[in-house]
Amino acid sequence: MTTKKEKFIRLSLTYLVILFMAVIIIYPILWAIGASLTPGTSLTNSSLIPKNATFAHYKTIFNPEESNYLIWYWNTLKICVITMLASVITISLMAYSFSRYRFVGRKNGLTTFLILQMVPNFAALIAIFVLAQVTNLLDTHIGLILIYVGGAIPMNTWLMKGYLDSIPKELDESARMDGAGHFRIFWQIIMPLAKPIVAVVALFTFIAPFTDFILAKVMLRTPEKYTLAVGLYELVSRQYGAEFTTFAAGSVLIAIPISILFLSFQKYFVSGLTAGGTKG
C-alpha cells in the first residue's frame, strides 16, 4: 500500500505541475484571442469570453484601405523563408566542415563562434546601421536577411556540429571506400541522418525574424517594407489612438505559419533523434 500511495502521490504531483504549466502557457493565448474579438479599441473590457464578440478587427487588418497588414505579412513570410533556407544551407555546410575536417584555424573559428553567440545582435546596432548605410542595404529586405542569417550562424553551427559529431565517422569511411565524394557523403549520408537537428535549426531561424522588432525597426523605413512586428507597432501607436484590439487580432494570426511549420517538423523532433547514434 505504501508503494502504491507513493506512486499515486508522485503521479498526482506530476499532473499538477503539467496542469499548472499548461495554464501558464494557454491562458495568454486565449486572452489574446478574446482581446481580438472584443469591441472597441481598449483592452480594459477584454476577457477570455468577450461580450458582444466581433470580427471587426480582423476585417480591419485585411482591408487594404485601413491597414497594410497583408503586405507586412507577405514581407515577413518572405524574409523568414529566405532566412530559413539560407541559414540551413550555410549552417549545415559549416557544421559539417567543423565536425568532419581538421584544418588550420578550426579551433580558433569554434572559439570565435562561441564568443559571438554570447553577444546579442542589438548590441551592435550602431555598427549594423552604419554598415547597411555604407553598402546601400538600408531599408532593404536583403540587408535584413543577411543580418538574420549572420546572427544565426554561431549558435546553430555549434548546435548542429554537436549532433553531427554523434554520427559515426565509419559511415563516411565506408562511403569513401565505395567511391563517394565529399559532397555526396554530405548530401546522401550525413544530411538524412541529421534531419532532426536540421528541423530544429530551420524552426529557430524561421521564428527569429517573426519575433524580431529592434533590427527590423532600425533597418526598415518605408511602411510598405515593414515586417509584422514593426507594422503592428505602428498600428498601435497611431496618432489618433492606440488600437490594441486590432493589434491583438494581428498578433493572433502570426501564430499560424509558426504552428504549421512546427507541426510539419514534429515527426523529426519526436522520432529519429537518436538516428545519428546508431552504428551500422
Side-chain angles (χ1 to χ4, degrees), residues 146-224:
L146 290 175
I147 295 173
Y148 289 143
V149 173
I153 287 176
M155 183 189 74
N156 290 292
T157 298
W158 266 95
L159 188 67
M160 186 174 288
K161 175 192 172 297
Y163 190 93
L164 296 184
D165 287 343
S166 67
I167 299 177
K169 295 184 178 179
E170 288 81 359
L171 296 175
D172 303 38
E173 296 172 358
S174 299
R176 200 168 286 113
M177 290 177 63
D178 291 337
H182 297 289
F183 183 77
R184 187 176 181 183
I185 294 173
F186 166 77
W187 182 250
Q188 295 186 353
I189 297 177
I190 302 301
M191 283 297 100
L193 294 176
K195 283 182 180 179
I197 194 63
V198 172
V200 171
V201 171
L203 187 63
F204 285 171
T205 53
F206 183 87
I207 292 176
F210 252 110
T211 58
D212 175 65
F213 170 76
I214 298 178
L215 289 173
K217 180 64 176 177
V218 171
M219 289 289 296
L220 303 177
R221 303 304 175 86
T222 307
E224 288 74 18

Side-chain angles (χ1 to χ4, degrees), residues 86-159:
S87 297
V88 167
I89 294 172
T90 305
I91 292 168
S92 298
L93 291 171
M94 295 186 70
Y96 177 75
S97 300
F98 280 114
S99 175
R100 287 304 195 258
Y101 302 118
R102 299 296 180 267
F103 50 88
V104 177
R106 176 179 177 274
K107 185 177 293 186
N108 292 334
L110 290 173
T111 303
T112 302
F113 281 172
L114 186 63
I115 296 173
L116 287 176
Q117 74 180 20
M118 300 177 186
V119 181
N121 287 336
F122 62 82
L125 277 180
I126 297 177
I128 291 174
F129 178 81
V130 173
L131 183 62
Q133 197 170 33
V134 170
T135 55
N136 294 323
L137 292 176
L138 193 64
D139 197 26
T140 63
H141 290 161
I142 186 63
L144 196 59
I145 291 170
L146 290 175
I147 295 173
Y148 289 143
V149 173
I153 287 176
M155 183 189 74
N156 290 292
T157 298
W158 266 95
L159 188 67

